[in-house]
Amino acid sequence: MSTQAATAQNLSFVLEGIHQVKFEDRPIPELKDPHDVLVNVRYTGICGSDVHYWEHGSIGQFVVKEPMVLGHESSGVISKAGSAVKTLKVGDQVAMEPGISCRRCEPCKSGKYNLCESMAFAATPPYDGTLAKYYVLPEDFCYKLPSQITLQEGAVMEPLSVAVHIVKQANVSPGQSVVVFGAGPVGLLCCAVAKAFGASKIIAVDIQPARLDFAKKYAATATFEPAKTLAVANADRMKEENELGSGADVVIDASGAEPSVHTGIHVLRTGGTYVQGGMGRSEITFPIMAACTKELNVKGSFRYSSGDYKLAVDLVASGKVNVRDLITGTVNFEDAEQAFKEVKAGKGIKTLIAGIEA
């Protein structure tokens, strides 16, 4: 550990501008609400959105205007608990849900708090993220990890919760055929959750053979590498190779790539369900005729909502989903920038940054 890390109160990894990061000692955050807890952050996974802010300084309308702490896929240990906290105590290991909703708007009150009009989400401007020694959360946004889940695995509960929400949006049920476009962390986890939900055929689609090889070993029952041809031709070949008959029951896009969207719509059976989980360009062309004439159920999916984190923890604790195999490397806190470079270069699947132990 560096001298800076050893002497700092709350060392934080801060994005100042495009490719401009620094380590900064910030005050230890205070508990402002009796229901809050102070978490000593132990592991943080790097997400594509973190890298995007580091590369471009913005995502859509969210622009980094002030220095911002990065990170939102984290686990940690409770360091301090507010006077009204009943479910957690100092020393408990937790997965940290990083988006705090207002609890008062219509989406919050209807149980869809992921669509909160005033969401304060970690590492989304203007809110600081979790790549710090300490972070404050309400107790009900911390999920106690059972003894069989490590803190490293706990940091993967965030992308797993994204996958849980997507698969729930798709209403995947036993015996169904599911096609997942994109074999990155979220796509792979969608395969695993679909398997846990009882899908009998899970076809992973990607343009990188190495990712497909991993997907087949991990949770997919088959893989498909699209050719540079028309979406309809790729869809027809996928149906033929995988004996999908008139088409798949469910398509999940975790890539955001326009050709994947097109192929996905065409590979579905009539009355099938399409869920868009991946974010690509803000506007694309869309095969609207096929969507209409096949009377498809087309849905979006954004982050996670009521019950998703709890189910994610339960799926890992019960052994139905394995997140350990996705963790391909852990770096020290002081090497956080190097980890960002490796993720940008496409190395590994899920890289974790170890936090500073209190």
Side-chain angles (χ1 to χ4, degrees):
M1 186 188 295
S2 69
T3 308
Q4 185 185 17
T7 58
Q9 284 190 93
N10 183 31
L11 196 65
S12 306
F13 187 60
V14 179
L15 178 69
E16 292 188 295
I18 294 170
H19 289 164
Q20 289 181 292
V21 288
K22 68 174 181 179
F23 292 101
E24 181 181 299
D25 190 14
R26 295 188 165 195
I28 296 173
E30 294 177 5
L31 302 183
K32 294 176 182 171
D33 186 290
H35 295 280
D36 284 350
V37 292
L38 181 69
V39 185
N40 171 213
V41 183
R42 292 293 180 83
Y43 290 97
T44 300
I46 300 176
C47 171
S49 66
D50 294 316
V51 175
H52 203 279
Y53 281 121
W54 173 66
E55 277 271 296
H56 303 283
S58 64
I59 295 178
Q61 75 268 35
F62 298 105
V63 181
V64 179
K65 294 175 181 172
E66 302 288 332
M68 178 184 79
V69 179
L70 288 163
H72 64 269
E73 300 181 359
S74 293
S75 64
V77 177
I78 303 296
S79 262
K80 191 177 178 183
S83 59
V85 172
K86 293 185 173 68
T87 61
L88 297 168
K89 63 183 187 303
V90 172
D92 282 348
Q93 298 188 345
V94 295
M96 302 160 60
E97 182 172 350
I100 311 307
S101 53
C102 76
R103 308 174 191 262
R104 293 179 181 88
C105 66
E106 190 52 44
C108 281
K109 292 172 92 168
S110 66
K112 295 186 176 181
Y113 68 82
N114 56 318
L115 306 179
C116 174
E117 295 157 11
S118 306
M119 175 68 78
F121 199 85
T124 297
Y127 303 104
D128 285 320
T130 57
L131 268 171
K133 187 174 181 180
Y134 293 107
Y135 193 81
V136 168
L137 280 172
E139 70 169 310
D140 57 318
F141 282 81
C142 291
Y143 299 81
K144 189 174 175 180
L145 297 174
S147 58
Q148 63 267 46
I149 299 182
T150 65
L151 279 164
Q152 290 97 321
E153 291 169 318
V156 190
M157 291 306 116
E158 198 275 348
L160 177 55
S161 297
V162 172
V164 164
H165 192 69
I166 291 170
V167 176
K168 279 166 71 174
Q169 285 288 86
N171 291 318
V172 171
S173 58
Q176 286 193 313
S177 54
V178 179
V179 179
V180 178
F181 287 84
V186 170
L188 290 166
L189 288 165
C190 283
C191 291
V193 177
K195 188 176 182 180
F197 278 31
S200 59
K201 283 185 181 179
I202 303 156
I203 302 151
V205 184
D206 206 290
I207 55 172
Q208 294 185 34
R211 286 193 171 191
L212 292 178
D213 289 343
F214 184 90
K216 189 72 185 290
K217 289 188 213 133
Y218 181 62
T221 60
T223 60
F224 183 83
E225 186 179 347
K228 289 183 178 177
T229 183
L230 294 173
V232 174
N234 274 321
D236 286 345
R237 179 164 67 89
M238 197 190 309
K239 283 191 271 193
E240 189 180 338
E241 287 179 5
N242 294 282
E243 298 179 346
L244 291 173
S246 59
D249 297 307
V250 172
V251 162
I252 289 166
D253 179 68
S255 74
E258 188 170 334
S260 297
V261 176
H262 288 209
T263 307
I265 293 293
H266 289 301
V267 84
L268 276 166
R269 63 167 173 80
T270 53
T273 297
Y274 178 93
V275 178
Q276 187 63 44
M279 290 187 182
R281 293 206 313 272
S282 56
E283 295 195 8
I284 62 167
T285 60
F286 183 78
I288 194 167
M289 187 69 76
C292 286
T293 55
K294 290 204 278 188
E295 208 165 271
L296 300 180
N297 303 297
V298 180
K299 297 181 183 180
S301 187
F302 187 54
R303 293 176 180 156
Y304 24 74
S305 194
S306 187
D308 294 335
Y309 249 83
K310 182 180 181 301
L311 180 54
V313 172
D314 289 347
L315 287 171
V316 176
S318 65
K320 289 177 181 168
V321 170
N322 170 358
V323 295
R324 191 183 303 114
D325 289 353
L326 298 186
I327 302 168
T328 44
T330 303
V331 302
N332 293 329
F333 194 81
E334 300 93 85
D335 299 322
E337 187 174 8
Q338 183 58 35
F340 271 71
K341 289 175 181 173
E342 288 181 9
V343 173
K344 176 68 178 71
K347 292 181 183 175
I349 295 167
K350 181 56 66 178
T351 300
L352 303 184
I353 297 170
I356 302 163
E357 211 168 312

